[in-house]
Amino acid sequence: MATALRITGGPDRVVVELHRPEVRNAIDRQMVDELHGVCDDLERAPRTLILAGSDGVFASGADIAELRERRRDDALAGINSTLFTRIARLPMPVIAALDGYALGGGAELAFAADFRLGTPRLTIGNPETGLGILPAAGATWRLKELVGEPLAMEILLAGRILTAEEALAARLISAIHAPEDLLQAAYDLADRIGRQDPLAVRITKSVFHAPREAHPVIDQLAQAVLFESEAKFDRMQRFLDRKKGS
């Protein structure tokens, strides 16, 4: 059986390309299972994850032919939502490189990332209500946190699809790059992340996503851990040495 993903990697990152070109990278159960395998690996050996599409498309949505056959128990199992929550909770940052269509489940996968980069031909949104369902894999709550309630309601209830420029204006994506430069831009961002202390990045991501009522205690406890790390002493000493030599 052909795999639904193309996976490459290095010591500080894993690059995953969704690859079902015959259906514009629609997300099916096989892709979900393979992405869970990626999560298994990244939970054991934390690295930055770059998610990308192939053939000019990120993901056109969930596989409609498969979705058409799903029933109540499939919905209650949370097939896509369980995966996307797991991706959002990965220890290190997740970068989504978005080209072409990022619709329905493809958009929800992108919403689970920490960073989203796009190209001028990106279209992103959630047309699920037009198919008689709702976007149940994170859009109903992640999207209003990302773009605010008025725009989220227009996307979710009126089927509005955003262009790349509209997504940038709404801060749903952080930059627009030419298609041929998109992956390099994701690599450059991963490089910047890689220059930070990995433990500080991991803990900062966890604290960032903590509920409001956990602050400031969680910040203080996390800082207490980092204050005892060797990297803190080494990095601060190097800073002081550079300042002394300047």
Side-chain angles (χ1 to χ4, degrees), residues 58-97:
F58 181 68
S60 59
D63 190 305
I64 300 299
E66 189 177 271
L67 199 61
R68 168 67 177 78
E69 301 307 314
R70 289 184 183 174
R71 305 301 294 267
R72 176 190 59 200
D73 289 346
D74 297 305
L76 293 174
I79 295 169
N80 287 2
S81 62
T82 300
L83 170 66
F84 298 168
T85 296
R86 192 176 183 190
I87 288 172
R89 291 176 178 170
L90 285 172
M92 291 291 283
V94 179
I95 302 167

Side-chain angles (χ1 to χ4, degrees), residues 58-177:
F58 181 68
S60 59
D63 190 305
I64 300 299
E66 189 177 271
L67 199 61
R68 168 67 177 78
E69 301 307 314
R70 289 184 183 174
R71 305 301 294 267
R72 176 190 59 200
D73 289 346
D74 297 305
L76 293 174
I79 295 169
N80 287 2
S81 62
T82 300
L83 170 66
F84 298 168
T85 296
R86 192 176 183 190
I87 288 172
R89 291 176 178 170
L90 285 172
M92 291 291 283
V94 179
I95 302 167
L98 308 174
D99 191 15
Y101 296 121
L103 299 173
E108 291 182 295
L109 175 56
F111 300 158
D114 300 293
F115 302 92
R116 284 163 297 279
L117 308 175
T119 70
R121 59 194 184 192
L122 171 66
T123 56
I124 185 168
N126 292 92
E128 282 90 342
T129 53
L131 296 171
I133 59 174
L134 64 85
T140 55
W141 56 277
R142 282 198 181 100
L143 191 53
K144 65 183 176 183
E145 293 178 355
L146 292 168
V147 302
E149 188 170 305
L151 181 55
M153 293 286 273
E154 192 172 353
I155 293 168
L156 297 173
L157 303 185
R160 179 175 174 182
I161 304 297
L162 302 183
T163 65
E165 290 292 345
E166 290 170 332
L168 181 64
R171 304 306 296 164
L172 185 57
I173 61 175
S174 57
I176 297 175
H177 301 276

Side-chain angles (χ1 to χ4, degrees), residues 200-235:
V201 170
R202 288 180 62 179
I203 291 180
T204 300
K205 177 176 175 176
S206 295
V207 171
F208 182 89
H209 289 295
R212 176 64 185 87
E213 57 270 19
H215 301 277
V217 173
I218 192 171
D219 306 72
Q220 295 160 358
L221 293 173
Q223 191 76 297
V225 172
L226 292 171
F227 270 11
E228 298 298 323
S229 72
E230 287 299 320
K232 173 250 189 179
F233 291 102
D234 292 344
R235 285 172 175 263

